[in-house]
């Protein structure tokens, strides 16, 4: 990824253990943002999300150009 890129993660609302995108962004020194979204299961890897579009729009508006 180009320097000064950002990562946006769509997180499962109940998952406080899966940190892979945060760790990747941190290792690559990229800005990291996330939103909490309702998943249809606790298994974050295999869940379908209902995306909180308002939260996503807020995160995007905070990101530098």
């Amino acid at each position: 990824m180009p320097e000064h890129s950002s990562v946006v993660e769509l997180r499962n609302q109940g998952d406080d253990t899966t940190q892979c995108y945060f760790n990747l962004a941190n290792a690559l020194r990229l800005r990291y943002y996330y939103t909490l979204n309702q998943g249809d299961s606790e298994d974050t890897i295999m869940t379908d999300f209902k995306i909180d579009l308002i939260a996503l729009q807020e995160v995007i508006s905070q990101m530098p150009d």
Side-chain angles (χ1 to χ4, degrees):
M1 291 181 80
E3 192 175 354
H4 305 297
S5 293
S6 298
V7 173
V8 177
E9 181 177 10
L10 306 174
R11 291 187 54 88
N12 195 356
Q13 197 161 23
D15 183 2
D16 60 355
T17 57
T18 305
Q19 303 292 333
C20 60
Y21 287 100
F22 170 76
N23 291 333
L24 260 170
N26 191 41
L28 297 171
R29 298 184 181 176
L30 301 173
R31 288 179 291 263
Y32 172 81
Y33 303 87
Y34 70 93
T35 63
L36 294 175
N37 303 278
Q38 187 62 48
D40 64 0
S41 99
E42 291 183 19
D43 180 1
T44 295
I45 304 303
M46 298 303 291
T47 195
D48 290 323
F49 290 112
K50 180 178 179 182
I51 304 302
D52 182 342
L53 295 178
I54 293 171
L56 181 58
Q57 198 168 27
E58 288 175 7
V59 164
I60 291 170
S61 73
Q62 294 173 14
M63 296 170 66
D65 294 333

